[in-house]
Amino acid sequence: METLFTPWHSLFGGILIGSAAVLMLWGCGQILGVSGLLSRLLPPWSSSQDIKVRVAFVAGVIALPLLAMVSGQVSSIPPVNGNPLYLGLAGLVMGYGTVRGNGCTSGHGVCGISRLSQRSIVATLVFMATAAVTVYIARHLLGWI
Amino acid sequence: MRLVISFIAGLVFSAGLVVSGMANPAKVVNFLDFSGSWDPSLAFVMIGAIAVASIGFRLVGENSKPFSAPRFDLPNRKDIDRPLISGAIFFGVGWGLSGYCPGPALVSLVLSSQAMLSLFPMMLLGMWIAKKTA
């Protein structure tokens, strides 16, 4: 399915994402990496970590679309394949990979690259390339999406 | 104070995901689909985010400590090890199949709640397994 090319919206959205990452580091001393912030809310917990900061961040991420939805600014977005088994399997592999590889699009892709971390640059190239190959197979060879 | 800052960072980040199109899996999949309906929009998300963060991080780095936390908590590893690569491969497969990475999955709890009924708990399960087996 075609989607509209939205360079200005995307650039502006990217600027917001970058600003949030700067705010998080400046105020809380934390890297804004969603997989890291989220997975550290799961057991086993480490006592040295600031759980409340993570909960507050996650609450903010959920609160915004909730407010936008209630005020009619956004409507719901369909998945590319609605099969629950398909989505569940994709979620399992995606979640596993982000924690095993120590980061996702935000942690490695935005923050890590901005800090010129070699690990993040390598991880981002690997997950982008893998995702592109996966889309090719799932869409053009198997017709799943 | 740090909780307020963190909450606001969450709001701004989330707004960025929604405005940029990252929260729309069809757009993500099209960004990754070079041989079909390629939509380069998300390259602009990365450009905008990295431009702001690389300048902002440099400025923040001049402070001796964060505004409302005792110290900076930064990753300092440099080695390229197997878990980094295999993790990135697993992540890429799941991201490509669904178009969701962890941030957009959080936003989608609201915007795509039906899809998140299965994807979100399974994502957390995957994260937990990776944590347990690390």
Side-chain angles (χ1 to χ4, degrees):
Chain A
M1 194 184 69
E2 296 272 335
T3 47
L4 284 176
F5 176 50
T6 55
W8 294 109
H9 279 85
S10 292
L11 188 68
F12 179 63
I15 290 171
L16 289 177
I17 292 170
S19 308
V22 174
L23 183 62
M24 195 70 177
L25 189 68
W26 170 80
C28 307
Q30 301 273 328
I31 288 290
L32 195 168
V34 178
S35 62
L37 292 168
L38 204 54
S39 66
R40 290 186 184 101
L41 293 176
L42 300 169
W45 294 287
S46 136
S47 56
S48 66
Q49 283 165 343
D50 194 343
I51 293 286
K52 283 190 204 156
V53 163
R54 298 165 202 282
V55 173
F57 177 80
V58 170
V61 177
I62 298 174
L64 183 107
L66 211 55
L67 290 172
M69 188 85 126
V70 169
S71 63
Q73 302 290 317
V74 290
S75 47
S76 63
I77 301 171
V80 288
N81 180 332
N83 184 319
L85 191 66
Y86 179 89
L87 285 167
L89 263 166
L92 183 72
V93 175
M94 182 264 279
Y96 176 81
T98 58
V99 171
R100 183 166 171 83
N102 269 311
C104 55
T105 331
S106 50
H108 279 317
V110 174
C111 296
I113 289 184
S114 299
R115 296 174 65 229
L116 298 175
S117 150
Q118 237 184 77
R119 277 170 61 84
S120 292
I121 293 168
V122 170
T124 305
L125 290 173
V126 171
F127 70 65
M128 288 260 181
T130 311
V133 171
T134 303
V135 168
Y136 182 81
I137 296 172
R139 175 174 275 174
H140 299 291
L141 301 183
L142 300 170
W144 288 345
I145 51 179
Chain B
M1 188 59 198
R2 68 187 204 289
L3 299 184
V4 176
I5 294 173
S6 181
F7 181 75
I8 294 172
L11 290 176
V12 174
F13 176 72
S14 188
L17 291 179
V18 174
V19 171
S20 66
M22 276 297 291
N24 181 355
K27 238 173 139 54
V28 174
V29 168
N30 279 347
F31 171 65
L32 297 165
D33 186 5
F34 297 99
S35 59
S37 43
W38 192 48
D39 175 357
S41 304
L42 298 192
F44 289 78
V45 186
M46 297 298 280
I47 293 167
I50 291 171
V52 171
S54 26
I55 298 168
F57 284 1
R58 214 134 291 161
L59 296 174
V60 171
E62 290 171 9
N63 303 346
S64 56
K65 68 182 209 51
F67 181 72
S68 73
R71 71 194 82 79
F72 287 107
D73 182 9
L74 295 171
N76 49 17
R77 289 179 58 180
K78 302 246 185 290
D79 56 312
I80 311 289
D81 59 350
R82 288 175 67 101
L84 182 80
I85 304 297
S86 60
I89 291 172
F90 276 109
F91 168 41
V93 170
W95 190 36
L97 287 175
S98 65
Y100 295 111
C101 51
L106 271 178
V107 173
S108 301
L109 283 173
V110 179
L111 297 184
S112 212
S113 46
Q114 187 83 31
M116 287 310 112
L117 281 179
S118 60
L119 186 136
F120 200 82
M122 292 297 276
M123 176 187 80
L124 294 182
L125 177 66
M127 288 177 162
W128 179 77
I129 292 172
K131 236 180 133 169
K132 286 292 269 193
T133 55

PDB file of all heavy atoms in Angstrom, chain A residues 92-117:
ATOM      1  N   LEU A  92       7.381 -10.752  19.721  1.00  0.00           N
ATOM      2  CA  LEU A  92       8.298 -11.579  20.517  1.00  0.00           C
ATOM      3  C   LEU A  92       9.735 -11.426  20.017  1.00  0.00           C
ATOM      4  O   LEU A  92      10.655 -11.154  20.784  1.00  0.00           O
ATOM      5  CB  LEU A  92       7.860 -13.045  20.440  1.00  0.00           C
ATOM      6  CG  LEU A  92       8.663 -14.052  21.265  1.00  0.00           C
ATOM      7  CD1 LEU A  92       8.372 -13.872  22.754  1.00  0.00           C
ATOM      8  CD2 LEU A  92       8.341 -15.484  20.855  1.00  0.00           C
ATOM      9  N   VAL A  93       9.907 -11.581  18.706  1.00  0.00           N
ATOM     10  CA  VAL A  93      11.239 -11.496  18.093  1.00  0.00           C
ATOM     11  C   VAL A  93      11.795 -10.079  18.219  1.00  0.00           C
ATOM     12  O   VAL A  93      12.972  -9.876  18.537  1.00  0.00           O
ATOM     13  CB  VAL A  93      11.144 -11.910  16.602  1.00  0.00           C
ATOM     14  CG1 VAL A  93      12.472 -11.730  15.908  1.00  0.00           C
ATOM     15  CG2 VAL A  93      10.659 -13.344  16.480  1.00  0.00           C
ATOM     16  N   MET A  94      10.923  -9.089  18.018  1.00  0.00           N
ATOM     17  CA  MET A  94      11.337  -7.687  18.094  1.00  0.00           C
ATOM     18  C   MET A  94      11.781  -7.340  19.518  1.00  0.00           C
ATOM     19  O   MET A  94      12.871  -6.801  19.725  1.00  0.00           O
ATOM     20  CB  MET A  94      10.155  -6.811  17.636  1.00  0.00           C
ATOM     21  CG  MET A  94      10.394  -5.349  17.601  1.00  0.00           C
ATOM     22  SD  MET A  94       9.818  -4.571  19.099  1.00  0.00           S
ATOM     23  CE  MET A  94       8.070  -4.425  18.774  1.00  0.00           C
ATOM     24  N   GLY A  95      10.967  -7.692  20.505  1.00  0.00           N
ATOM     25  CA  GLY A  95      11.305  -7.385  21.894  1.00  0.00           C
ATOM     26  C   GLY A  95      12.576  -8.092  22.337  1.00  0.00           C
ATOM     27  O   GLY A  95      13.462  -7.488  22.954  1.00  0.00           O
ATOM     28  N   TYR A  96      12.683  -9.369  21.991  1.00  0.00           N
ATOM     29  CA  TYR A  96      13.867 -10.152  22.335  1.00  0.00           C
ATOM     30  C   TYR A  96      15.130  -9.489  21.759  1.00  0.00           C
ATOM     31  O   TYR A  96      16.116  -9.291  22.458  1.00  0.00           O
ATOM     32  CB  TYR A  96      13.717 -11.576  21.809  1.00  0.00           C
ATOM     33  CG  TYR A  96      14.945 -12.435  22.029  1.00  0.00           C
ATOM     34  CD1 TYR A  96      15.187 -13.027  23.256  1.00  0.00           C
ATOM     35  CD2 TYR A  96      15.870 -12.636  21.001  1.00  0.00           C
ATOM     36  CE1 TYR A  96      16.328 -13.793  23.466  1.00  0.00           C
ATOM     37  CE2 TYR A  96      17.008 -13.394  21.202  1.00  0.00           C
ATOM     38  CZ  TYR A  96      17.229 -13.972  22.441  1.00  0.00           C
ATOM     39  OH  TYR A  96      18.364 -14.715  22.645  1.00  0.00           O
ATOM     40  N   GLY A  97      15.051  -9.155  20.476  1.00  0.00           N
ATOM     41  CA  GLY A  97      16.214  -8.577  19.790  1.00  0.00           C
ATOM     42  C   GLY A  97      16.661  -7.250  20.377  1.00  0.00           C
ATOM     43  O   GLY A  97      17.857  -7.004  20.512  1.00  0.00           O
ATOM     44  N   THR A  98      15.700  -6.403  20.759  1.00  0.00           N
ATOM     45  CA  THR A  98      16.091  -5.082  21.275  1.00  0.00           C
ATOM     46  C   THR A  98      16.876  -5.203  22.577  1.00  0.00           C
ATOM     47  O   THR A  98      17.832  -4.460  22.800  1.00  0.00           O
ATOM     48  CB  THR A  98      14.874  -4.167  21.538  1.00  0.00           C
ATOM     49  OG1 THR A  98      14.004  -4.811  22.462  1.00  0.00           O
ATOM     50  CG2 THR A  98      14.127  -3.847  20.263  1.00  0.00           C
ATOM     51  N   VAL A  99      16.467  -6.139  23.437  1.00  0.00           N
ATOM     52  CA  VAL A  99      17.171  -6.269  24.712  1.00  0.00           C
ATOM     53  C   VAL A  99      18.482  -7.025  24.531  1.00  0.00           C
ATOM     54  O   VAL A  99      19.504  -6.661  25.103  1.00  0.00           O
ATOM     55  CB  VAL A  99      16.263  -6.923  25.775  1.00  0.00           C
ATOM     56  CG1 VAL A  99      17.045  -7.257  27.030  1.00  0.00           C
ATOM     57  CG2 VAL A  99      15.110  -5.986  26.111  1.00  0.00           C
ATOM     58  N   ARG A 100      18.475  -8.057  23.703  1.00  0.00           N
ATOM     59  CA  ARG A 100      19.717  -8.798  23.445  1.00  0.00           C
ATOM     60  C   ARG A 100      20.757  -7.870  22.812  1.00  0.00           C
ATOM     61  O   ARG A 100      21.929  -7.905  23.169  1.00  0.00           O
ATOM     62  CB  ARG A 100      19.436  -9.998  22.548  1.00  0.00           C
ATOM     63  CG  ARG A 100      20.671 -10.840  22.304  1.00  0.00           C
ATOM     64  CD  ARG A 100      20.346 -12.201  21.707  1.00  0.00           C
ATOM     65  NE  ARG A 100      21.554 -12.889  21.303  1.00  0.00           N
ATOM     66  CZ  ARG A 100      22.335 -13.594  22.127  1.00  0.00           C
ATOM     67  NH1 ARG A 100      22.007 -13.696  23.394  1.00  0.00           N
ATOM     68  NH2 ARG A 100      23.422 -14.174  21.697  1.00  0.00           N
ATOM     69  N   GLY A 101      20.321  -7.040  21.892  1.00  0.00           N
ATOM     70  CA  GLY A 101      21.234  -6.126  21.207  1.00  0.00           C
ATOM     71  C   GLY A 101      21.403  -4.788  21.912  1.00  0.00           C
ATOM     72  O   GLY A 101      22.009  -3.875  21.361  1.00  0.00           O
ATOM     73  N   ASN A 102      20.834  -4.669  23.128  1.00  0.00           N
ATOM     74  CA  ASN A 102      21.016  -3.456  23.938  1.00  0.00           C
ATOM     75  C   ASN A 102      20.472  -2.171  23.344  1.00  0.00           C
ATOM     76  O   ASN A 102      21.000  -1.085  23.633  1.00  0.00           O
ATOM     77  CB  ASN A 102      22.504  -3.224  24.225  1.00  0.00           C
ATOM     78  CG  ASN A 102      22.925  -3.884  25.503  1.00  0.00           C
ATOM     79  OD1 ASN A 102      22.264  -3.723  26.517  1.00  0.00           O
ATOM     80  ND2 ASN A 102      23.984  -4.652  25.440  1.00  0.00           N
ATOM     81  N   GLY A 103      19.453  -2.249  22.508  1.00  0.00           N
ATOM     82  CA  GLY A 103      18.896  -0.987  22.032  1.00  0.00           C
ATOM     83  C   GLY A 103      18.025  -1.146  20.800  1.00  0.00           C
ATOM     84  O   GLY A 103      18.084  -2.163  20.119  1.00  0.00           O
ATOM     85  N   CYS A 104      17.235  -0.108  20.546  1.00  0.00           N
ATOM     86  CA  CYS A 104      16.334  -0.159  19.395  1.00  0.00           C
ATOM     87  C   CYS A 104      16.553   1.085  18.538  1.00  0.00           C
ATOM     88  O   CYS A 104      17.631   1.671  18.522  1.00  0.00           O
ATOM     89  CB  CYS A 104      14.885  -0.301  19.863  1.00  0.00           C
ATOM     90  SG  CYS A 104      14.354   0.985  21.012  1.00  0.00           S
ATOM     91  N   THR A 105      15.512   1.513  17.855  1.00  0.00           N
ATOM     92  CA  THR A 105      15.629   2.646  16.944  1.00  0.00           C
ATOM     93  C   THR A 105      15.993   3.934  17.691  1.00  0.00           C
ATOM     94  O   THR A 105      16.781   4.743  17.191  1.00  0.00           O
ATOM     95  CB  THR A 105      14.294   2.845  16.198  1.00  0.00           C
ATOM     96  OG1 THR A 105      13.653   1.575  16.099  1.00  0.00           O
ATOM     97  CG2 THR A 105      14.502   3.388  14.817  1.00  0.00           C
ATOM     98  N   SER A 106      15.421   4.112  18.890  1.00  0.00           N
ATOM     99  CA  SER A 106      15.708   5.335  19.640  1.00  0.00           C
ATOM    100  C   SER A 106      17.084   5.283  20.311  1.00  0.00           C
ATOM    101  O   SER A 106      17.882   6.210  20.165  1.00  0.00           O
ATOM    102  CB  SER A 106      14.611   5.593  20.682  1.00  0.00           C
ATOM    103  OG  SER A 106      14.366   4.427  21.445  1.00  0.00           O
ATOM    104  N   GLY A 107      17.366   4.201  21.021  1.00  0.00           N
ATOM    105  CA  GLY A 107      18.624   4.112  21.770  1.00  0.00           C
ATOM    106  C   GLY A 107      19.854   4.034  20.881  1.00  0.00           C
ATOM    107  O   GLY A 107      20.807   4.789  21.049  1.00  0.00           O
ATOM    108  N   HIS A 108      19.840   3.085  19.932  1.00  0.00           N
ATOM    109  CA  HIS A 108      20.968   2.965  19.004  1.00  0.00           C
ATOM    110  C   HIS A 108      20.838   3.963  17.856  1.00  0.00           C
ATOM    111  O   HIS A 108      21.769   4.691  17.532  1.00  0.00           O
ATOM    112  CB  HIS A 108      21.012   1.553  18.388  1.00  0.00           C
ATOM    113  CG  HIS A 108      21.637   0.512  19.274  1.00  0.00           C
ATOM    114  ND1 HIS A 108      22.779   0.738  19.987  1.00  0.00           N
ATOM    115  CD2 HIS A 108      21.279  -0.783  19.535  1.00  0.00           C
ATOM    116  CE1 HIS A 108      23.111  -0.366  20.656  1.00  0.00           C
ATOM    117  NE2 HIS A 108      22.212  -1.301  20.406  1.00  0.00           N
ATOM    118  N   GLY A 109      19.669   3.966  17.209  1.00  0.00           N
ATOM    119  CA  GLY A 109      19.469   4.712  15.964  1.00  0.00           C
ATOM    120  C   GLY A 109      19.577   6.217  16.130  1.00  0.00           C
ATOM    121  O   GLY A 109      20.136   6.904  15.277  1.00  0.00           O
ATOM    122  N   VAL A 110      19.022   6.751  17.217  1.00  0.00           N
ATOM    123  CA  VAL A 110      19.070   8.205  17.416  1.00  0.00           C
ATOM    124  C   VAL A 110      20.174   8.583  18.406  1.00  0.00           C
ATOM    125  O   VAL A 110      21.113   9.309  18.061  1.00  0.00           O
ATOM    126  CB  VAL A 110      17.697   8.755  17.893  1.00  0.00           C
ATOM    127  CG1 VAL A 110      17.808  10.232  18.229  1.00  0.00           C
ATOM    128  CG2 VAL A 110      16.628   8.523  16.830  1.00  0.00           C
ATOM    129  N   CYS A 111      20.069   8.078  19.638  1.00  0.00           N
ATOM    130  CA  CYS A 111      21.021   8.536  20.677  1.00  0.00           C
ATOM    131  C   CYS A 111      22.432   8.022  20.415  1.00  0.00           C
ATOM    132  O   CYS A 111      23.402   8.781  20.505  1.00  0.00           O
ATOM    133  CB  CYS A 111      20.547   8.073  22.055  1.00  0.00           C
ATOM    134  SG  CYS A 111      18.979   8.809  22.529  1.00  0.00           S
ATOM    135  N   GLY A 112      22.550   6.722  20.107  1.00  0.00           N
ATOM    136  CA  GLY A 112      23.877   6.133  19.915  1.00  0.00           C
ATOM    137  C   GLY A 112      24.613   6.764  18.747  1.00  0.00           C
ATOM    138  O   GLY A 112      25.790   7.113  18.847  1.00  0.00           O
ATOM    139  N   ILE A 113      23.914   6.913  17.632  1.00  0.00           N
ATOM    140  CA  ILE A 113      24.552   7.521  16.460  1.00  0.00           C
ATOM    141  C   ILE A 113      24.950   8.968  16.772  1.00  0.00           C
ATOM    142  O   ILE A 113      26.028   9.418  16.399  1.00  0.00           O
ATOM    143  CB  ILE A 113      23.631   7.429  15.220  1.00  0.00           C
ATOM    144  CG1 ILE A 113      23.559   5.967  14.762  1.00  0.00           C
ATOM    145  CG2 ILE A 113      24.124   8.339  14.092  1.00  0.00           C
ATOM    146  CD1 ILE A 113      22.776   5.733  13.500  1.00  0.00           C
ATOM    147  N   SER A 114      24.107   9.682  17.515  1.00  0.00           N
ATOM    148  CA  SER A 114      24.428  11.070  17.865  1.00  0.00           C
ATOM    149  C   SER A 114      25.651  11.160  18.766  1.00  0.00           C
ATOM    150  O   SER A 114      26.362  12.167  18.754  1.00  0.00           O
ATOM    151  CB  SER A 114      23.235  11.737  18.562  1.00  0.00           C
ATOM    152  OG  SER A 114      22.127  11.759  17.693  1.00  0.00           O
ATOM    153  N   ARG A 115      25.881  10.107  19.544  1.00  0.00           N
ATOM    154  CA  ARG A 115      27.078  10.081  20.406  1.00  0.00           C
ATOM    155  C   ARG A 115      28.265   9.447  19.671  1.00  0.00           C
ATOM    156  O   ARG A 115      29.304   9.199  20.269  1.00  0.00           O
ATOM    157  CB  ARG A 115      26.797   9.289  21.683  1.00  0.00           C
ATOM    158  CG  ARG A 115      25.734   9.918  22.585  1.00  0.00           C
ATOM    159  CD  ARG A 115      25.411   8.990  23.758  1.00  0.00           C
ATOM    160  NE  ARG A 115      26.551   8.822  24.632  1.00  0.00           N
ATOM    161  CZ  ARG A 115      27.003   7.643  25.067  1.00  0.00           C
ATOM    162  NH1 ARG A 115      26.417   6.520  24.687  1.00  0.00           N
ATOM    163  NH2 ARG A 115      28.043   7.582  25.874  1.00  0.00           N
ATOM    164  N   LEU A 116      28.066   9.126  18.396  1.00  0.00           N
ATOM    165  CA  LEU A 116      29.081   8.469  17.568  1.00  0.00           C
ATOM    166  C   LEU A 116      29.575   7.165  18.193  1.00  0.00           C
ATOM    167  O   LEU A 116      30.759   6.825  18.108  1.00  0.00           O
ATOM    168  CB  LEU A 116      30.271   9.414  17.311  1.00  0.00           C
ATOM    169  CG  LEU A 116      29.935  10.703  16.545  1.00  0.00           C
ATOM    170  CD1 LEU A 116      31.163  11.611  16.458  1.00  0.00           C
ATOM    171  CD2 LEU A 116      29.408  10.394  15.146  1.00  0.00           C
ATOM    172  N   SER A 117      28.646   6.425  18.828  1.00  0.00           N
ATOM    173  CA  SER A 117      28.998   5.122  19.397  1.00  0.00           C
ATOM    174  C   SER A 117      29.136   4.096  18.270  1.00  0.00           C
ATOM    175  O   SER A 117      28.230   3.916  17.467  1.00  0.00           O
ATOM    176  CB  SER A 117      27.906   4.671  20.377  1.00  0.00           C
ATOM    177  OG  SER A 117      27.818   3.265  20.416  1.00  0.00           O
TER     178      SER A 117
END
